[in-house]
Amino acid sequence: MDITTISSFSKEDLEKALKRIKRSIWVYHINTGGCNGCDIEILDVLTPWFDVERFGIKLVASPRHADLALVTGPITIKTLPRVVKALRAMPRPRLVLAIGSCAVGGNIWFESYSTIGGFYKILDKLHELGVEIDKIVYVPGCPARPEAIIYGVALLLGLVKQKVHYVRKKA
Amino acid sequence: MVKFVKIIPIALKVGTVTRKYPFERPLITESFRGAIEVDPVKCTGCGACTRICPPKALSLIREGETLILRYFVGKCIFCGMCADICPEKAIAITKEFELASENLSELNVDVEHELKKCVKCGATFVSTKLLNKVRSQVEALPDDIAELCPNCRRLEILKRFTGGR
């Protein structure tokens, strides 16, 4: 039996696992057809200027070693099978950080013929294929600032509180 | 080996460059553009910003008898064109960038507008605030045809010209 298809990963297990990886989270970077802007910002985060290794965040070359996938880009139709393959290779808990406007909402390619348009649109497809995503954090920005990416990881690990909330104002 | 030793005085001179971001203020310059903020008092719901917005992050949605100006941060590219184009100067660019969220629906900001009803057919056609603004600026607009929807207005004016035939 394929280990990745087991969906008996409860909420308590996720909390336990998050507590375990809080001090050292290994990330794997997937570019799914982005413009490289967010990729350069991710590179910025890993340089000594921001130095995320003080939080134990480390870039790894294989999704099999990774706790967190950094997804940038609006998921083009060409890259979709590779994204699914890379996410399937990740061990549970499978955490995803959707970085940049493209990965969050599709940016200006939200209704283009060659893109899916945002990571949230493939969630159902991933569920059908047996690839469960345990936690997603969306980081808007075009490109997202290095500080915003650090904040997103901190939010994913539960170290900071969420700042944005749904607001409905009356004019 | 010798080359590596040369680095040591340089490194000592420069010192630590790491920015301790969560415990230190982020490096935000004067020209940085973050999320926008719509002032609900000034906004009239004309929809100029929704037309200029490249990724359609701003959109006008009709929900029953209310008009909603929805700002979805997830699609925004922070170009600032909406702030330039707004005739009321109701849109301000803030320096907010910590917008990460676990839920997509949390990234929405709605501004609710009241819609004006046509006195003849009862259809909603424009926000009350925009109509009041137009009426205050256009003097030649008679009161009886100002509250009609575009279709009824056409029929009414045609009726006046032809004398009711």
Side-chain angles (χ1 to χ4, degrees), chain A residues 48-49 54 101 107 110 138 141 145 147 162-163 165-169 171, chain B residues 18-19 27 38 40 55 68 74 76-78 98 100-101 104 106 108 110 112:
Chain A
W49 186 264
R54 65 204 156 107
S101 299
N107 203 334
F110 65 101
Y138 301 95
R145 282 178 75 88
E147 287 106 329
Q162 195 175 307
K163 270 192 183 175
H165 290 290
Y166 174 69
V167 190
R168 196 184 174 100
K169 295 173 200 162
Chain B
T18 305
R19 298 199 66 83
L27 191 84
V38 183
I68 289 164
C76 184
I77 61 168
F78 309 101
E98 289 164 331
S101 161
L104 269 183
E106 301 255 306
N108 284 323
D110 285 359
E112 207 177 286

PDB file of all heavy atoms in Angstrom, chain A residues 48-49 54 101 107 110 138 141 145 147 162-163 165-169 171, chain B residues 18-19 27 38 40 55 68 74 76-78 98 100-101 104 106 108 110 112:
ATOM      1  N   PRO A  48      22.684  35.620   4.394  1.00  0.00           N
ATOM      2  CA  PRO A  48      23.006  36.084   5.750  1.00  0.00           C
ATOM      3  C   PRO A  48      22.284  37.358   6.154  1.00  0.00           C
ATOM      4  O   PRO A  48      22.196  37.669   7.340  1.00  0.00           O
ATOM      5  CB  PRO A  48      24.512  36.321   5.682  1.00  0.00           C
ATOM      6  CG  PRO A  48      24.981  35.489   4.577  1.00  0.00           C
ATOM      7  CD  PRO A  48      23.887  35.413   3.586  1.00  0.00           C
ATOM      8  N   TRP A  49      21.771  38.125   5.213  1.00  0.00           N
ATOM      9  CA  TRP A  49      21.075  39.373   5.564  1.00  0.00           C
ATOM     10  C   TRP A  49      19.850  39.096   6.422  1.00  0.00           C
ATOM     11  O   TRP A  49      19.627  39.772   7.424  1.00  0.00           O
ATOM     12  CB  TRP A  49      20.685  40.117   4.281  1.00  0.00           C
ATOM     13  CG  TRP A  49      20.112  41.461   4.534  1.00  0.00           C
ATOM     14  CD1 TRP A  49      18.818  41.805   4.608  1.00  0.00           C
ATOM     15  CD2 TRP A  49      20.848  42.662   4.776  1.00  0.00           C
ATOM     16  NE1 TRP A  49      18.668  43.134   4.863  1.00  0.00           N
ATOM     17  CE2 TRP A  49      19.901  43.690   4.969  1.00  0.00           C
ATOM     18  CE3 TRP A  49      22.199  42.974   4.829  1.00  0.00           C
ATOM     19  CZ2 TRP A  49      20.273  44.999   5.219  1.00  0.00           C
ATOM     20  CZ3 TRP A  49      22.550  44.275   5.079  1.00  0.00           C
ATOM     21  CH2 TRP A  49      21.603  45.283   5.272  1.00  0.00           C
ATOM     22  N   ARG A  54      18.778  30.962  11.700  1.00  0.00           N
ATOM     23  CA  ARG A  54      18.629  31.216  13.141  1.00  0.00           C
ATOM     24  C   ARG A  54      17.319  30.654  13.665  1.00  0.00           C
ATOM     25  O   ARG A  54      17.140  30.470  14.856  1.00  0.00           O
ATOM     26  CB  ARG A  54      18.767  32.710  13.455  1.00  0.00           C
ATOM     27  CG  ARG A  54      17.705  33.608  12.879  1.00  0.00           C
ATOM     28  CD  ARG A  54      18.179  35.028  12.728  1.00  0.00           C
ATOM     29  NE  ARG A  54      17.419  35.708  11.701  1.00  0.00           N
ATOM     30  CZ  ARG A  54      16.492  36.633  11.942  1.00  0.00           C
ATOM     31  NH1 ARG A  54      16.240  37.009  13.155  1.00  0.00           N
ATOM     32  NH2 ARG A  54      15.855  37.186  10.950  1.00  0.00           N
ATOM     33  N   SER A 101       1.302  36.727  -5.102  1.00  0.00           N
ATOM     34  CA  SER A 101      -0.077  36.844  -5.581  1.00  0.00           C
ATOM     35  C   SER A 101      -0.440  35.706  -6.530  1.00  0.00           C
ATOM     36  O   SER A 101      -1.585  35.274  -6.565  1.00  0.00           O
ATOM     37  CB  SER A 101      -0.245  38.157  -6.319  1.00  0.00           C
ATOM     38  OG  SER A 101       0.003  39.216  -5.471  1.00  0.00           O
ATOM     39  N   ASN A 107      -3.026  36.126  -9.543  1.00  0.00           N
ATOM     40  CA  ASN A 107      -2.504  37.390 -10.069  1.00  0.00           C
ATOM     41  C   ASN A 107      -3.202  37.775 -11.378  1.00  0.00           C
ATOM     42  O   ASN A 107      -4.391  37.539 -11.519  1.00  0.00           O
ATOM     43  CB  ASN A 107      -0.996  37.263 -10.271  1.00  0.00           C
ATOM     44  CG  ASN A 107      -0.298  38.600 -10.263  1.00  0.00           C
ATOM     45  OD1 ASN A 107      -0.887  39.601 -10.576  1.00  0.00           O
ATOM     46  ND2 ASN A 107       0.946  38.624  -9.874  1.00  0.00           N
ATOM     47  N   PHE A 110      -5.216  34.953 -13.548  1.00  0.00           N
ATOM     48  CA  PHE A 110      -6.227  34.185 -12.821  1.00  0.00           C
ATOM     49  C   PHE A 110      -7.232  33.494 -13.734  1.00  0.00           C
ATOM     50  O   PHE A 110      -7.871  32.549 -13.333  1.00  0.00           O
ATOM     51  CB  PHE A 110      -6.940  35.082 -11.798  1.00  0.00           C
ATOM     52  CG  PHE A 110      -7.750  36.192 -12.403  1.00  0.00           C
ATOM     53  CD1 PHE A 110      -9.112  36.072 -12.519  1.00  0.00           C
ATOM     54  CD2 PHE A 110      -7.132  37.354 -12.845  1.00  0.00           C
ATOM     55  CE1 PHE A 110      -9.858  37.098 -13.069  1.00  0.00           C
ATOM     56  CE2 PHE A 110      -7.873  38.372 -13.399  1.00  0.00           C
ATOM     57  CZ  PHE A 110      -9.240  38.243 -13.518  1.00  0.00           C
ATOM     58  N   TYR A 138      -1.241  31.265   3.067  1.00  0.00           N
ATOM     59  CA  TYR A 138      -1.127  32.108   1.874  1.00  0.00           C
ATOM     60  C   TYR A 138      -0.389  33.382   2.237  1.00  0.00           C
ATOM     61  O   TYR A 138      -0.732  34.037   3.218  1.00  0.00           O
ATOM     62  CB  TYR A 138      -2.517  32.445   1.343  1.00  0.00           C
ATOM     63  CG  TYR A 138      -3.328  31.238   0.969  1.00  0.00           C
ATOM     64  CD1 TYR A 138      -4.227  30.672   1.865  1.00  0.00           C
ATOM     65  CD2 TYR A 138      -3.185  30.650  -0.282  1.00  0.00           C
ATOM     66  CE1 TYR A 138      -4.977  29.559   1.527  1.00  0.00           C
ATOM     67  CE2 TYR A 138      -3.932  29.538  -0.629  1.00  0.00           C
ATOM     68  CZ  TYR A 138      -4.829  29.000   0.275  1.00  0.00           C
ATOM     69  OH  TYR A 138      -5.559  27.900  -0.067  1.00  0.00           O
ATOM     70  N   GLY A 141       1.552  39.305  -1.911  1.00  0.00           N
ATOM     71  CA  GLY A 141       2.666  40.220  -2.181  1.00  0.00           C
ATOM     72  C   GLY A 141       3.146  39.985  -3.594  1.00  0.00           C
ATOM     73  O   GLY A 141       3.093  38.862  -4.066  1.00  0.00           O
ATOM     74  N   ARG A 145       7.553  40.296   0.265  1.00  0.00           N
ATOM     75  CA  ARG A 145       8.807  40.747   0.900  1.00  0.00           C
ATOM     76  C   ARG A 145       9.443  39.607   1.669  1.00  0.00           C
ATOM     77  O   ARG A 145       8.741  38.727   2.153  1.00  0.00           O
ATOM     78  CB  ARG A 145       8.488  41.866   1.895  1.00  0.00           C
ATOM     79  CG  ARG A 145       8.252  43.203   1.306  1.00  0.00           C
ATOM     80  CD  ARG A 145       7.903  44.163   2.420  1.00  0.00           C
ATOM     81  NE  ARG A 145       9.088  44.516   3.194  1.00  0.00           N
ATOM     82  CZ  ARG A 145       9.881  45.530   2.880  1.00  0.00           C
ATOM     83  NH1 ARG A 145       9.624  46.264   1.838  1.00  0.00           N
ATOM     84  NH2 ARG A 145      10.935  45.802   3.611  1.00  0.00           N
ATOM     85  N   GLU A 147      10.531  39.720   4.598  1.00  0.00           N
ATOM     86  CA  GLU A 147       9.935  39.765   5.933  1.00  0.00           C
ATOM     87  C   GLU A 147       8.564  39.101   5.949  1.00  0.00           C
ATOM     88  O   GLU A 147       8.200  38.429   6.910  1.00  0.00           O
ATOM     89  CB  GLU A 147       9.794  41.214   6.417  1.00  0.00           C
ATOM     90  CG  GLU A 147      11.088  41.882   6.814  1.00  0.00           C
ATOM     91  CD  GLU A 147      11.536  42.884   5.779  1.00  0.00           C
ATOM     92  OE1 GLU A 147      11.239  42.670   4.589  1.00  0.00           O
ATOM     93  OE2 GLU A 147      12.201  43.869   6.154  1.00  0.00           O
ATOM     94  N   GLN A 162      -2.406  35.939  13.522  1.00  0.00           N
ATOM     95  CA  GLN A 162      -2.780  36.474  12.217  1.00  0.00           C
ATOM     96  C   GLN A 162      -3.226  37.927  12.343  1.00  0.00           C
ATOM     97  O   GLN A 162      -3.980  38.272  13.255  1.00  0.00           O
ATOM     98  CB  GLN A 162      -3.909  35.621  11.647  1.00  0.00           C
ATOM     99  CG  GLN A 162      -4.133  35.846  10.175  1.00  0.00           C
ATOM    100  CD  GLN A 162      -5.168  34.891   9.622  1.00  0.00           C
ATOM    101  OE1 GLN A 162      -5.063  33.698   9.790  1.00  0.00           O
ATOM    102  NE2 GLN A 162      -6.170  35.412   8.965  1.00  0.00           N
ATOM    103  N   LYS A 163      -2.737  38.774  11.407  1.00  0.00           N
ATOM    104  CA  LYS A 163      -3.054  40.204  11.488  1.00  0.00           C
ATOM    105  C   LYS A 163      -4.282  40.569  10.673  1.00  0.00           C
ATOM    106  O   LYS A 163      -5.056  41.417  11.059  1.00  0.00           O
ATOM    107  CB  LYS A 163      -1.854  41.022  10.992  1.00  0.00           C
ATOM    108  CG  LYS A 163      -0.884  41.376  12.092  1.00  0.00           C
ATOM    109  CD  LYS A 163       0.094  42.412  11.603  1.00  0.00           C
ATOM    110  CE  LYS A 163       1.124  42.735  12.655  1.00  0.00           C
ATOM    111  NZ  LYS A 163       2.136  43.661  12.143  1.00  0.00           N
ATOM    112  N   HIS A 165      -7.967  40.219   8.880  1.00  0.00           N
ATOM    113  CA  HIS A 165      -9.256  39.582   9.124  1.00  0.00           C
ATOM    114  C   HIS A 165     -10.260  40.135   8.133  1.00  0.00           C
ATOM    115  O   HIS A 165     -10.081  41.226   7.597  1.00  0.00           O
ATOM    116  CB  HIS A 165      -9.732  39.840  10.550  1.00  0.00           C
ATOM    117  CG  HIS A 165      -8.910  39.111  11.560  1.00  0.00           C
ATOM    118  ND1 HIS A 165      -8.955  37.749  11.699  1.00  0.00           N
ATOM    119  CD2 HIS A 165      -7.993  39.547  12.449  1.00  0.00           C
ATOM    120  CE1 HIS A 165      -8.099  37.384  12.643  1.00  0.00           C
ATOM    121  NE2 HIS A 165      -7.497  38.461  13.110  1.00  0.00           N
ATOM    122  N   TYR A 166     -11.320  39.355   7.928  1.00  0.00           N
ATOM    123  CA  TYR A 166     -12.364  39.809   7.016  1.00  0.00           C
ATOM    124  C   TYR A 166     -13.086  41.012   7.629  1.00  0.00           C
ATOM    125  O   TYR A 166     -13.529  40.964   8.778  1.00  0.00           O
ATOM    126  CB  TYR A 166     -13.346  38.677   6.742  1.00  0.00           C
ATOM    127  CG  TYR A 166     -14.536  39.094   5.928  1.00  0.00           C
ATOM    128  CD1 TYR A 166     -14.384  39.428   4.585  1.00  0.00           C
ATOM    129  CD2 TYR A 166     -15.801  39.167   6.491  1.00  0.00           C
ATOM    130  CE1 TYR A 166     -15.462  39.820   3.835  1.00  0.00           C
ATOM    131  CE2 TYR A 166     -16.890  39.560   5.743  1.00  0.00           C
ATOM    132  CZ  TYR A 166     -16.717  39.883   4.411  1.00  0.00           C
ATOM    133  OH  TYR A 166     -17.787  40.276   3.675  1.00  0.00           O
ATOM    134  N   VAL A 167     -13.178  42.101   6.850  1.00  0.00           N
ATOM    135  CA  VAL A 167     -13.831  43.321   7.333  1.00  0.00           C
ATOM    136  C   VAL A 167     -14.946  43.676   6.356  1.00  0.00           C
ATOM    137  O   VAL A 167     -14.785  43.563   5.142  1.00  0.00           O
ATOM    138  CB  VAL A 167     -12.832  44.503   7.408  1.00  0.00           C
ATOM    139  CG1 VAL A 167     -13.462  45.675   8.126  1.00  0.00           C
ATOM    140  CG2 VAL A 167     -11.548  44.106   8.095  1.00  0.00           C
ATOM    141  N   ARG A 168     -16.083  44.079   6.890  1.00  0.00           N
ATOM    142  CA  ARG A 168     -17.178  44.564   6.050  1.00  0.00           C
ATOM    143  C   ARG A 168     -17.578  45.941   6.561  1.00  0.00           C
ATOM    144  O   ARG A 168     -18.120  46.074   7.663  1.00  0.00           O
ATOM    145  CB  ARG A 168     -18.350  43.586   6.133  1.00  0.00           C
ATOM    146  CG  ARG A 168     -19.364  43.788   5.022  1.00  0.00           C
ATOM    147  CD  ARG A 168     -20.535  42.857   5.247  1.00  0.00           C
ATOM    148  NE  ARG A 168     -21.593  43.087   4.304  1.00  0.00           N
ATOM    149  CZ  ARG A 168     -21.796  42.345   3.217  1.00  0.00           C
ATOM    150  NH1 ARG A 168     -21.030  41.331   2.959  1.00  0.00           N
ATOM    151  NH2 ARG A 168     -22.797  42.611   2.405  1.00  0.00           N
ATOM    152  N   LYS A 169     -17.264  46.963   5.747  1.00  0.00           N
ATOM    153  CA  LYS A 169     -17.554  48.330   6.162  1.00  0.00           C
ATOM    154  C   LYS A 169     -18.790  48.834   5.447  1.00  0.00           C
ATOM    155  O   LYS A 169     -19.045  48.454   4.308  1.00  0.00           O
ATOM    156  CB  LYS A 169     -16.380  49.251   5.804  1.00  0.00           C
ATOM    157  CG  LYS A 169     -15.110  48.942   6.528  1.00  0.00           C
ATOM    158  CD  LYS A 169     -14.009  49.806   5.938  1.00  0.00           C
ATOM    159  CE  LYS A 169     -12.645  49.275   6.219  1.00  0.00           C
ATOM    160  NZ  LYS A 169     -11.644  49.856   5.326  1.00  0.00           N
ATOM    161  N   ALA A 171     -20.721  51.981   3.795  1.00  0.00           N
ATOM    162  CA  ALA A 171     -20.439  53.327   3.275  1.00  0.00           C
ATOM    163  C   ALA A 171     -21.625  54.247   3.513  1.00  0.00           C
ATOM    164  O   ALA A 171     -22.752  53.797   3.532  1.00  0.00           O
ATOM    165  CB  ALA A 171     -20.141  53.265   1.796  1.00  0.00           C
TER     166      ALA A 171
ATOM    167  N   THR B  18      23.108  40.764   9.768  1.00  0.00           N
ATOM    168  CA  THR B  18      21.788  40.121   9.830  1.00  0.00           C
ATOM    169  C   THR B  18      20.752  41.052  10.454  1.00  0.00           C
ATOM    170  O   THR B  18      20.997  41.660  11.492  1.00  0.00           O
ATOM    171  CB  THR B  18      21.869  38.830  10.655  1.00  0.00           C
ATOM    172  OG1 THR B  18      22.886  38.024  10.098  1.00  0.00           O
ATOM    173  CG2 THR B  18      20.561  38.083  10.636  1.00  0.00           C
ATOM    174  N   ARG B  19      19.595  41.150   9.779  1.00  0.00           N
ATOM    175  CA  ARG B  19      18.477  41.922  10.336  1.00  0.00           C
ATOM    176  C   ARG B  19      17.626  40.956  11.157  1.00  0.00           C
ATOM    177  O   ARG B  19      17.147  39.965  10.631  1.00  0.00           O
ATOM    178  CB  ARG B  19      17.645  42.538   9.214  1.00  0.00           C
ATOM    179  CG  ARG B  19      18.437  43.506   8.370  1.00  0.00           C
ATOM    180  CD  ARG B  19      17.518  44.418   7.587  1.00  0.00           C
ATOM    181  NE  ARG B  19      16.767  45.296   8.468  1.00  0.00           N
ATOM    182  CZ  ARG B  19      17.232  46.432   8.967  1.00  0.00           C
ATOM    183  NH1 ARG B  19      18.442  46.817   8.687  1.00  0.00           N
ATOM    184  NH2 ARG B  19      16.479  47.188   9.728  1.00  0.00           N
ATOM    185  N   LEU B  27      12.690  46.800   7.254  1.00  0.00           N
ATOM    186  CA  LEU B  27      13.308  47.854   6.452  1.00  0.00           C
ATOM    187  C   LEU B  27      12.302  48.342   5.413  1.00  0.00           C
ATOM    188  O   LEU B  27      12.241  47.833   4.312  1.00  0.00           O
ATOM    189  CB  LEU B  27      14.555  47.289   5.764  1.00  0.00           C
ATOM    190  CG  LEU B  27      15.480  48.292   5.101  1.00  0.00           C
ATOM    191  CD1 LEU B  27      16.427  48.863   6.125  1.00  0.00           C
ATOM    192  CD2 LEU B  27      16.281  47.611   4.005  1.00  0.00           C
ATOM    193  N   VAL B  38      -9.533  51.292   1.554  1.00  0.00           N
ATOM    194  CA  VAL B  38     -10.614  52.088   0.985  1.00  0.00           C
ATOM    195  C   VAL B  38     -11.345  52.797   2.113  1.00  0.00           C
ATOM    196  O   VAL B  38     -11.786  52.169   3.075  1.00  0.00           O
ATOM    197  CB  VAL B  38     -11.600  51.191   0.192  1.00  0.00           C
ATOM    198  CG1 VAL B  38     -12.679  52.034  -0.460  1.00  0.00           C
ATOM    199  CG2 VAL B  38     -10.865  50.391  -0.859  1.00  0.00           C
ATOM    200  N   PRO B  40     -14.451  54.170   3.564  1.00  0.00           N
ATOM    201  CA  PRO B  40     -15.879  54.004   3.272  1.00  0.00           C
ATOM    202  C   PRO B  40     -16.667  55.310   3.291  1.00  0.00           C
ATOM    203  O   PRO B  40     -17.765  55.373   2.732  1.00  0.00           O
ATOM    204  CB  PRO B  40     -16.353  53.054   4.376  1.00  0.00           C
ATOM    205  CG  PRO B  40     -15.349  53.179   5.451  1.00  0.00           C
ATOM    206  CD  PRO B  40     -14.058  53.515   4.805  1.00  0.00           C
ATOM    207  N   PRO B  55      -5.244  42.877 -12.098  1.00  0.00           N
ATOM    208  CA  PRO B  55      -5.661  41.500 -11.806  1.00  0.00           C
ATOM    209  C   PRO B  55      -7.102  41.380 -11.302  1.00  0.00           C
ATOM    210  O   PRO B  55      -7.484  40.326 -10.832  1.00  0.00           O
ATOM    211  CB  PRO B  55      -4.677  41.073 -10.722  1.00  0.00           C
ATOM    212  CG  PRO B  55      -4.327  42.317 -10.018  1.00  0.00           C
ATOM    213  CD  PRO B  55      -4.567  43.466 -10.921  1.00  0.00           C
ATOM    214  N   ILE B  68     -21.415  45.863  -3.465  1.00  0.00           N
ATOM    215  CA  ILE B  68     -20.241  45.615  -2.633  1.00  0.00           C
ATOM    216  C   ILE B  68     -18.976  45.826  -3.443  1.00  0.00           C
ATOM    217  O   ILE B  68     -18.811  45.256  -4.528  1.00  0.00           O
ATOM    218  CB  ILE B  68     -20.281  44.186  -2.039  1.00  0.00           C
ATOM    219  CG1 ILE B  68     -21.380  44.098  -0.979  1.00  0.00           C
ATOM    220  CG2 ILE B  68     -18.952  43.825  -1.419  1.00  0.00           C
ATOM    221  CD1 ILE B  68     -21.745  42.708  -0.643  1.00  0.00           C
ATOM    222  N   GLY B  74      -5.243  38.881  -1.998  1.00  0.00           N
ATOM    223  CA  GLY B  74      -4.534  37.754  -2.596  1.00  0.00           C
ATOM    224  C   GLY B  74      -4.190  37.931  -4.059  1.00  0.00           C
ATOM    225  O   GLY B  74      -3.241  37.346  -4.553  1.00  0.00           O
ATOM    226  N   CYS B  76      -3.916  41.144  -5.461  1.00  0.00           N
ATOM    227  CA  CYS B  76      -3.387  42.495  -5.662  1.00  0.00           C
ATOM    228  C   CYS B  76      -1.906  42.464  -6.032  1.00  0.00           C
ATOM    229  O   CYS B  76      -1.132  41.674  -5.489  1.00  0.00           O
ATOM    230  CB  CYS B  76      -3.571  43.285  -4.369  1.00  0.00           C
ATOM    231  SG  CYS B  76      -3.080  44.991  -4.477  1.00  0.00           S
ATOM    232  N   ILE B  77      -1.508  43.297  -6.992  1.00  0.00           N
ATOM    233  CA  ILE B  77      -0.097  43.383  -7.369  1.00  0.00           C
ATOM    234  C   ILE B  77       0.547  44.665  -6.846  1.00  0.00           C
ATOM    235  O   ILE B  77       1.668  44.978  -7.197  1.00  0.00           O
ATOM    236  CB  ILE B  77       0.110  43.239  -8.886  1.00  0.00           C
ATOM    237  CG1 ILE B  77      -0.602  44.327  -9.665  1.00  0.00           C
ATOM    238  CG2 ILE B  77      -0.337  41.881  -9.361  1.00  0.00           C
ATOM    239  CD1 ILE B  77      -0.186  44.385 -11.123  1.00  0.00           C
ATOM    240  N   PHE B  78      -0.172  45.429  -6.031  1.00  0.00           N
ATOM    241  CA  PHE B  78       0.365  46.613  -5.347  1.00  0.00           C
ATOM    242  C   PHE B  78       0.941  47.634  -6.345  1.00  0.00           C
ATOM    243  O   PHE B  78       2.031  48.156  -6.135  1.00  0.00           O
ATOM    244  CB  PHE B  78       1.405  46.201  -4.307  1.00  0.00           C
ATOM    245  CG  PHE B  78       0.910  45.123  -3.378  1.00  0.00           C
ATOM    246  CD1 PHE B  78       1.282  43.814  -3.550  1.00  0.00           C
ATOM    247  CD2 PHE B  78       0.030  45.433  -2.366  1.00  0.00           C
ATOM    248  CE1 PHE B  78       0.779  42.811  -2.718  1.00  0.00           C
ATOM    249  CE2 PHE B  78      -0.460  44.448  -1.532  1.00  0.00           C
ATOM    250  CZ  PHE B  78      -0.084  43.145  -1.713  1.00  0.00           C
ATOM    251  N   GLU B  98       2.365  42.457   6.221  1.00  0.00           N
ATOM    252  CA  GLU B  98       2.210  41.186   6.948  1.00  0.00           C
ATOM    253  C   GLU B  98       0.778  40.688   6.741  1.00  0.00           C
ATOM    254  O   GLU B  98      -0.070  40.806   7.614  1.00  0.00           O
ATOM    255  CB  GLU B  98       2.526  41.387   8.429  1.00  0.00           C
ATOM    256  CG  GLU B  98       3.994  41.607   8.664  1.00  0.00           C
ATOM    257  CD  GLU B  98       4.296  42.176  10.028  1.00  0.00           C
ATOM    258  OE1 GLU B  98       3.451  42.896  10.587  1.00  0.00           O
ATOM    259  OE2 GLU B  98       5.391  41.906  10.529  1.00  0.00           O
ATOM    260  N   ALA B 100      -0.132  37.510   5.630  1.00  0.00           N
ATOM    261  CA  ALA B 100      -0.274  36.056   5.555  1.00  0.00           C
ATOM    262  C   ALA B 100      -1.515  35.586   6.289  1.00  0.00           C
ATOM    263  O   ALA B 100      -1.884  36.127   7.330  1.00  0.00           O
ATOM    264  CB  ALA B 100       0.962  35.390   6.141  1.00  0.00           C
ATOM    265  N   SER B 101      -2.183  34.585   5.709  1.00  0.00           N
ATOM    266  CA  SER B 101      -3.421  34.096   6.288  1.00  0.00           C
ATOM    267  C   SER B 101      -3.571  32.612   5.987  1.00  0.00           C
ATOM    268  O   SER B 101      -3.086  32.114   4.985  1.00  0.00           O
ATOM    269  CB  SER B 101      -4.601  34.867   5.711  1.00  0.00           C
ATOM    270  OG  SER B 101      -5.792  34.162   5.915  1.00  0.00           O
ATOM    271  N   LEU B 104      -8.377  31.814   2.818  1.00  0.00           N
ATOM    272  CA  LEU B 104      -8.451  32.787   1.727  1.00  0.00           C
ATOM    273  C   LEU B 104      -9.529  33.837   1.954  1.00  0.00           C
ATOM    274  O   LEU B 104      -9.368  34.989   1.589  1.00  0.00           O
ATOM    275  CB  LEU B 104      -8.720  32.077   0.400  1.00  0.00           C
ATOM    276  CG  LEU B 104      -7.515  31.646  -0.422  1.00  0.00           C
ATOM    277  CD1 LEU B 104      -7.974  31.046  -1.722  1.00  0.00           C
ATOM    278  CD2 LEU B 104      -6.574  32.795  -0.688  1.00  0.00           C
ATOM    279  N   GLU B 106     -10.375  35.276   4.552  1.00  0.00           N
ATOM    280  CA  GLU B 106      -9.952  36.307   5.507  1.00  0.00           C
ATOM    281  C   GLU B 106      -9.244  37.466   4.804  1.00  0.00           C
ATOM    282  O   GLU B 106      -9.045  38.519   5.398  1.00  0.00           O
ATOM    283  CB  GLU B 106      -9.005  35.701   6.540  1.00  0.00           C
ATOM    284  CG  GLU B 106      -9.602  34.568   7.315  1.00  0.00           C
ATOM    285  CD  GLU B 106      -9.962  34.973   8.712  1.00  0.00           C
ATOM    286  OE1 GLU B 106      -9.095  35.482   9.400  1.00  0.00           O
ATOM    287  OE2 GLU B 106     -11.123  34.782   9.095  1.00  0.00           O
ATOM    288  N   ASN B 108     -10.325  39.141   2.297  1.00  0.00           N
ATOM    289  CA  ASN B 108     -11.256  40.056   1.649  1.00  0.00           C
ATOM    290  C   ASN B 108     -11.572  41.245   2.544  1.00  0.00           C
ATOM    291  O   ASN B 108     -11.680  41.099   3.755  1.00  0.00           O
ATOM    292  CB  ASN B 108     -12.565  39.334   1.326  1.00  0.00           C
ATOM    293  CG  ASN B 108     -12.430  38.429   0.134  1.00  0.00           C
ATOM    294  OD1 ASN B 108     -11.727  38.755  -0.819  1.00  0.00           O
ATOM    295  ND2 ASN B 108     -13.074  37.289   0.183  1.00  0.00           N
ATOM    296  N   ASP B 110     -14.591  44.216   2.377  1.00  0.00           N
ATOM    297  CA  ASP B 110     -15.788  44.646   1.653  1.00  0.00           C
ATOM    298  C   ASP B 110     -16.199  46.047   2.071  1.00  0.00           C
ATOM    299  O   ASP B 110     -16.132  46.382   3.250  1.00  0.00           O
ATOM    300  CB  ASP B 110     -16.956  43.696   1.933  1.00  0.00           C
ATOM    301  CG  ASP B 110     -16.803  42.382   1.205  1.00  0.00           C
ATOM    302  OD1 ASP B 110     -15.804  42.242   0.478  1.00  0.00           O
ATOM    303  OD2 ASP B 110     -17.660  41.501   1.361  1.00  0.00           O
ATOM    304  N   GLU B 112     -19.645  48.214   1.700  1.00  0.00           N
ATOM    305  CA  GLU B 112     -21.041  48.020   1.327  1.00  0.00           C
ATOM    306  C   GLU B 112     -21.678  49.342   0.909  1.00  0.00           C
ATOM    307  O   GLU B 112     -21.561  50.337   1.629  1.00  0.00           O
ATOM    308  CB  GLU B 112     -21.777  47.447   2.542  1.00  0.00           C
ATOM    309  CG  GLU B 112     -22.964  46.613   2.204  1.00  0.00           C
ATOM    310  CD  GLU B 112     -23.570  46.036   3.471  1.00  0.00           C
ATOM    311  OE1 GLU B 112     -22.985  45.101   4.045  1.00  0.00           O
ATOM    312  OE2 GLU B 112     -24.611  46.544   3.885  1.00  0.00           O
TER     313      GLU B 112
END
